[in-house]
Amino acid sequence: MSDDSEIVKEFLVESYENLDRLDRDLIALENNPADREILASVFRTIHTIKGTSGFLAFSKLEAVTHVGENLLSRLRDGLLTLNPEITTALLTMVDVVRQMLGSIESAGSEGERNDQELIATLTRLLQAKTEQAPAPVPAPAKEEAPKKDMSQPVPNLGDLLISQGAAKVSDIREAVQQQSEGDPRLLGEILLEKGSVKPQEVLEALNVQQQQGRGQSASDSTIRVDVSLLDQLMNLVGELVLARNQVLQYTNSAEESGLLATSQRLNLITTELQEGVMKTRMQPIGNIWSKFPRTVRDVALGCGKQVRIVMEGKDTELDKTIIEAIKDPLTHLVRNAVDHGIERPEVRQAAGKNPEGCLLLRAFHEGGQVNIEISDDGSGLDHDRIRNKAIQKGLVAADQAARMSDREIANLIFLPGFSTAEKVTNVSGRGVGMDVVKTNIEKIGGTVDVQSKPGQGSTVRMKIPLTLAIIPALIVTSAGDRYAIPQVSLLELVRLEGEQARKGIELVHGAPVYRLRGRLLPLAYLNRELKVEKNFQEQGAPTRNAAPAGDPDECRNVNIVVLQADDRQFGLVVDEINDTEEIVVKPLNKQLKSINVYAGATIMGDGRVALILDVLGLAQCARVVNVTHDHALAEADAKQAATQSNGIRRPVLLFQYGKNGRMAIDLSVVDRLEEFQADAIEIADDREAVQYRGGIMPLIRVSDVLQMKSKADSESEQSVQVVVYADQERRIGLVIDRILDIVEETFVIERQTGRKGVLGSAVIQKRITDVLDVASLIASAKGNFLSASANV
């Protein structure tokens, strides 16, 4: 590549960055015309582009920016006051400059164009009568933290040209004399006309001046890297992760210590390299948000509205590929909120609102995902109008629409072809856009939802992954094949065994559910949804129209993966749960892209391919996240609650004490269940205790406190079963004879008196069972040991 092309490339990169900053600065300046610092920054930016374009012989670009610079000069000198018309003209100039730069990048020149109308507009504004402009109000002085060592001032252009040997001292003095006599041109322009310097020499001096103005540390600490190089590096890291997984799988089964240590070192280095490369691809969402103040201004101006934009979480980082994917959807949502959501000033005033509407953009990390919210304080969605429009267009049936909730009605705006606009404008009304927003967000594994309150405004919420390249996933097996479930959707794992597997799954309206901590969890069977029903009944799955049945001895264990999709939970029943590992996401080929239960593929450690499940698509396929299903579960919960009004339903741990005693303890106060060898029990302050998690945990034998004879002889016992009770930071071990079961049942406690450590008795599992009062039991254990040593 020639030196000239390198100079042009550098000019384009710098100019694009400057233009992005110009959009932001001009909008900020319009809101605060007295800010002389922003005005000076805008002037310097246009001046730099104009000067460099002249050196590089881009005459059309120089002509436009020259007039813009003159207009900004009068604004800077206080001869004109910024108004909406001038701001619009300057923003139009920025757009024209951006178009010319694009043409220079693609064709090497500005192209055939006629910008005389813009130049005439800028000239007309420039020639406005000076006396019409009020005297400028100086902005209050701002105390700023020093950005660089002021003992080393930035050298002027003349000093740089002299130091580089590009110009004579006498030529510089003559040029400065011309300026003092009224020549409005810049020093570099005068020297170029005299032939004292070459354009390349002036450009090099300007670059040095600009770098020193920014501070040397900025240029030393950053470099520009081509995006394609980063993409290639990311692909290589992905292949390295796959190789790492294969090595780890092999060494885990090997017994050679040296190979194991080497593989662990490889694992550490690969992980650090992966994190480093991922950071190079991460960009703050503010990079795309920075364009929205201009967008909001243009749309509001065209609609006759007053709108201010507030942005929170601009530093929230996302992978570059995600940033690119959400740029257009976000832009459409912002334009739509200003056009449709926020009312005109007179309408807002009539409703008792501030005539200026507010658009809030908010981004934050949560649960391994990025949440983005676009909220407006406008009129909100008209649910009746949306419902009628959807029926009119045949998108939903009338009877179906009547049963839909407000949330479902609101989300109809994402259907293809849906629009409530009365007329087509250059902003909206063509029936395209919102469906594209939803499609594009779901393509990258995200979700989008809208909520609205009439008269108060609307909020569109998006949840998107941080990256698409390498993700942690849970590996499961079904019908002999392995599948990966993105860990971002994983909540917990549940395993049902024996009798619990046979009776734990119920049917509500013909659909299988499991009662998890008192709430009905809808179930989907992976084998059934993937149409691989081999050995399906062996999972303990009930048929659609029959209750669970079968011999407990023949019923296998049931593994439930509790997932979250679209703000709702469901359980996915699989044959086996293997392990969690980081996987490299590979796109699906065209034959599988249309199947919405798969999000991609990955290569496992043994070299075999595993499909990545799309949790939301799987839930929709199994119909476990629709509102009708939710209503059925809610009705079932309410019905069961009504039948239990005379008792308390709670999960309890059942254990045996003494020879025949049965006791229940509320499971919410149980921290863990442990078993200790008898020789691990020590004596401290004449009390039994064990070393537990770096501290001393006192032991209380329940049978001793309740004055019941223990089933086992403490001197001959080989191990003890302990219920670890947690009270804030205090842990105490309750020694019991034998754990019987964990159940969730409705029971009524009959109060008793005169028995410390017991709340009362109840019928649980058709047997009389004492209910333990843990606090009273501990209080009954005499001695200072508990109060002095119980904290671990």
Side-chain angles (χ1 to χ4, degrees):
M1 184 177 290
S2 65
D3 292 341
D4 290 343
S5 61
E6 285 289 351
I7 294 172
V8 172
K9 182 178 180 181
E10 183 71 18
F11 164 67
L12 290 172
V13 172
E14 291 282 354
S15 299
Y16 277 132
E17 292 177 355
N18 289 336
L19 288 178
D20 290 340
R21 187 171 64 251
L22 267 182
D23 273 339
R24 300 193 299 269
D25 287 350
L26 285 171
I27 298 301
L29 190 62
E30 184 179 36
N31 295 327
N32 185 16
D35 195 325
R36 317 303 295 177
E37 183 180 348
I38 296 180
L39 182 56
S41 174
V42 172
F43 176 82
R44 287 195 302 269
T45 300
I46 292 297
H47 168 70
T48 301
I49 294 176
K50 187 213 79 168
T52 311
S53 62
F55 302 151
L56 297 175
F58 296 129
S59 57
K60 297 176 182 177
L61 179 57
E62 182 186 18
V64 171
T65 51
H66 179 71
V67 182
E69 180 191 27
N70 291 339
L71 177 58
L72 287 166
S73 177
R74 292 177 68 85
L75 290 169
R76 184 189 60 176
D77 296 339
L79 301 176
L80 289 174
T81 300
L82 189 70
N83 56 42
E85 185 181 12
I86 295 178
T87 303
T88 300
L90 290 173
L91 287 172
T92 304
M93 178 195 67
V94 172
D95 293 339
V96 168
V97 171
R98 187 177 281 111
Q99 294 171 8
M100 290 187 183
L101 293 177
S103 180
I104 292 171
E105 185 176 13
S106 60
S109 66
E110 302 105 310
E112 296 296 328
R113 54 184 305 116
N114 184 356
D115 299 304
Q116 291 306 312
E117 182 178 353
L118 172 61
I119 293 175
T121 300
L122 293 171
T123 303
R124 175 177 58 80
L125 296 171
L126 169 68
Q127 294 173 347
K129 292 183 180 180
T130 304
E131 57 269 17
Q132 291 179 348
V137 179
K142 297 180 181 178
E143 184 178 349
E144 296 184 355
K147 297 181 180 179
K148 60 179 184 293
D149 185 3
M150 298 307 294
S151 63
Q152 298 178 353
V154 179
N156 59 45
L157 183 62
D159 292 338
L160 287 172
L161 290 171
I162 293 173
S163 65
Q164 293 175 355
K168 299 178 182 179
V169 176
S170 59
D171 292 337
I172 298 292
R173 287 177 178 172
E174 289 180 7
V176 172
Q177 180 66 26
Q178 283 186 232
Q179 287 182 325
S180 64
E181 293 173 355
D183 193 329
R185 294 178 297 170
L186 299 172
L187 184 64
E189 293 176 288
I190 298 174
L191 292 173
L192 281 172
E193 183 184 2
K194 287 177 173 291
S196 302
V197 293
K198 298 177 181 178
Q200 174 62 26
E201 293 169 339
V202 177
L203 182 58
E204 290 176 357
L206 285 172
N207 285 335
V208 172
Q209 186 183 44
Q210 187 177 22
Q211 289 175 1
Q212 295 191 15
R214 288 196 303 256
Q216 190 64 25
S217 60
S219 60
D220 288 344
S221 61
T222 59
I223 60 172
R224 288 193 178 95
V225 179
D226 193 273
V227 173
S228 62
L229 180 60
L230 285 180
D231 292 339
Q232 183 182 2
L233 188 59
M234 191 67 215
N235 291 334
L236 291 175
V237 170
E239 296 300 324
L240 181 60
V241 169
L242 292 177
R244 185 270 312 269
N245 292 345
Q246 293 176 344
V247 171
L248 289 177
Q249 182 169 338
Y250 172 76
T251 54
N252 286 338
S253 60
E255 298 181 356
E256 186 177 344
S257 59
L259 181 60
L260 182 60
T262 303
S263 67
Q264 290 174 346
R265 178 65 178 165
L266 173 65
N267 182 29
L268 178 62
I269 294 174
T270 303
T271 301
E272 291 181 354
L273 178 62
Q274 172 194 335
E275 292 175 354
V277 173
M278 293 291 290
K279 287 179 181 178
T280 64
R281 293 168 55 92
M282 301 299 280
Q283 295 183 349
I285 198 170
N287 285 1
I288 54 176
W289 280 9
S290 62
K291 304 180 187 302
F292 290 157
R294 166 78 186 275
T295 302
V296 169
R297 178 194 181 273
D298 291 347
V299 177
L301 198 62
C303 298
K305 299 178 180 179
Q306 300 174 13
V307 184
R308 64 184 174 92
I309 183 170
V310 178
M311 295 180 283
E312 298 178 0
K314 290 189 289 185
D315 295 332
T316 304
E317 291 189 329
L318 286 164
D319 188 279
K320 183 182 183 301
T321 55
I322 302 290
I323 288 282
E324 293 297 325
I326 66 174
K327 183 188 302 182
D328 290 341
L330 283 179
T331 302
H332 182 85
L333 290 174
V334 167
R335 294 170 61 88
N336 197 69
V338 177
D339 184 36
H340 282 303
I342 297 177
E343 313 95 326
R344 296 175 65 89
E346 61 273 16
V347 176
R348 293 179 62 87
Q349 283 185 311
K353 293 182 178 181
N354 188 322
E356 181 184 56
C358 179
L359 180 65
L360 172 64
L361 272 63
R362 181 169 174 254
F364 58 94
H365 288 122
E366 184 181 66
Q369 290 181 302
V370 172
N371 289 253
I372 302 175
E373 297 179 354
I374 300 97
S375 304
D376 66 73
D377 63 348
S379 58
L381 297 176
D382 187 335
H383 295 100
D384 292 335
R385 186 179 178 189
I386 294 174
R387 180 185 287 108
N388 295 334
K389 200 73 173 182
I391 297 173
Q392 177 185 339
K393 288 181 171 290
L395 299 175
V396 293
D399 57 341
Q400 180 186 359
R403 296 193 302 268
M404 296 176 73
S405 65
D406 285 347
R407 179 180 178 182
E408 285 184 306
I409 291 295
N411 280 278
L412 288 177
I413 65 175
F414 294 112
L415 292 177
F418 184 86
S419 175
T420 58
E422 296 295 339
K423 61 179 180 179
V424 175
T425 68
N426 62 342
V427 178
S428 59
R430 294 174 174 83
V432 295
M434 295 303 283
D435 62 316
V436 177
V437 168
K438 184 177 180 66
T439 301
N440 289 345
I441 296 301
E442 290 180 347
K443 276 183 180 178
I444 59 174
T447 60
V448 60
D449 176 64
V450 61
Q451 295 181 358
S452 179
K453 292 183 179 180
Q456 299 182 30
S458 304
T459 298
V460 178
R461 292 185 175 89
M462 294 188 294
K463 293 185 177 182
I464 53 180
L466 284 171
T467 179
L468 299 179
I470 301 174
I471 61 172
L474 175 71
I475 309 302
V476 301
T477 301
S478 241
D481 293 323
R482 285 178 299 181
Y483 300 92
I485 302 175
Q487 202 163 338
V488 68
S489 302
L490 177 63
L491 297 179
E492 62 180 295
L493 303 175
V494 177
R495 181 177 173 87
L496 308 181
E497 299 181 344
E499 185 74 9
Q500 192 179 17
R502 189 175 73 88
K503 295 185 176 180
I505 298 177
E506 311 169 30
L507 288 177
V508 173
H509 296 281
V513 296
Y514 171 68
R515 189 170 293 278
L516 180 63
R517 289 186 291 276
R519 297 194 64 182
L520 292 177
L521 180 74
L523 298 180
Y525 290 84
L526 186 56
N527 285 354
R528 175 181 290 165
E529 303 308 326
L530 300 183
K531 306 297 188 293
V532 285
E533 304 229 5
K534 179 182 179 182
N535 298 326
F536 186 65
Q537 288 299 323
E538 294 181 358
Q539 298 183 75
T543 60
R544 297 280 185 185
N545 301 314
D551 191 331
D553 296 332
E554 297 178 357
C555 183
R556 293 189 175 183
N557 301 329
V558 177
N559 299 301
I560 302 175
V561 181
V562 183
L563 301 170
Q564 180 159 327
D566 198 16
D567 293 330
R568 297 171 187 163
Q569 297 180 12
F570 74 101
L572 183 66
V573 180
V574 299
D575 292 348
E576 297 176 21
I577 297 173
N578 303 123
D579 201 355
T580 58
E581 65 178 68
E582 289 185 328
I583 61 172
V584 180
V585 179
K586 301 288 186 181
L588 294 171
N589 57 32
K590 60 182 180 180
Q591 287 83 4
L592 294 176
K593 279 187 177 180
S594 60
I595 305 178
N596 63 351
V597 296
Y598 300 125
T602 189
I603 302 175
M604 304 301 297
D606 57 4
R608 295 173 59 191
V609 175
L611 291 171
I612 303 171
L613 297 177
D614 184 328
V615 173
L616 180 60
L618 192 62
Q620 292 172 342
C621 182
R623 299 180 181 178
V624 293
V625 295
N626 57 63
V627 174
T628 303
H629 197 277
D630 288 349
H631 288 169
L633 297 186
E635 289 174 3
D637 274 333
K639 183 177 180 181
Q640 183 157 351
T643 63
Q644 297 169 357
S645 58
N646 294 326
I648 302 174
R649 184 178 182 88
R650 64 176 67 167
V652 293
L653 169 70
L654 297 177
F655 63 89
Q656 180 177 339
Y657 73 99
K659 290 187 177 180
N660 299 312
R662 282 169 55 91
M663 184 159 283
I665 178 174
D666 191 338
L667 201 59
S668 63
V669 302
V670 177
D671 186 45
R672 291 180 66 87
L673 302 178
E674 300 282 4
E675 185 170 3
F676 297 102
Q677 296 300 314
D679 55 10
I681 300 177
E682 304 177 56
I683 302 297
D685 195 18
D686 202 29
R687 294 281 183 177
E688 288 184 321
V690 293
Q691 298 180 29
Y692 187 67
R693 296 191 174 185
I696 300 174
M697 182 172 68
L699 298 179
I700 298 177
R701 293 184 179 268
V702 176
S703 297
D704 291 348
V705 178
L706 298 181
Q707 298 179 352
M708 294 287 294
K709 186 175 181 181
S710 176
K711 178 183 176 183
D713 185 353
S714 59
E715 295 182 358
S716 61
E717 63 186 359
Q718 296 181 352
S719 62
V720 294
Q721 293 186 353
V722 176
V723 175
V724 180
Y725 165 78
D727 179 11
Q728 296 179 349
E729 296 183 355
R730 181 177 65 171
R731 289 189 178 90
I732 299 173
L734 307 179
V735 181
I736 59 178
D737 288 338
R738 184 165 66 94
I739 295 175
L740 299 177
D741 200 356
I742 295 178
V743 299
E744 187 171 341
E745 193 169 322
T746 301
F747 55 88
V748 178
I749 300 177
E750 297 180 7
R751 295 289 175 183
Q752 295 185 356
T753 57
R755 245 189 124 186
K756 293 183 178 179
V758 178
L759 285 173
S761 299
V763 177
I764 302 177
Q765 287 190 332
K766 299 182 179 180
R767 293 190 58 179
I768 297 176
T769 305
D770 291 334
V771 180
L772 186 67
D773 184 348
V774 181
S776 175
L777 181 81
I778 294 175
S780 301
K782 297 178 181 180
N784 297 326
F785 180 86
L786 295 178
S787 59
S789 308
N791 292 333
V792 296

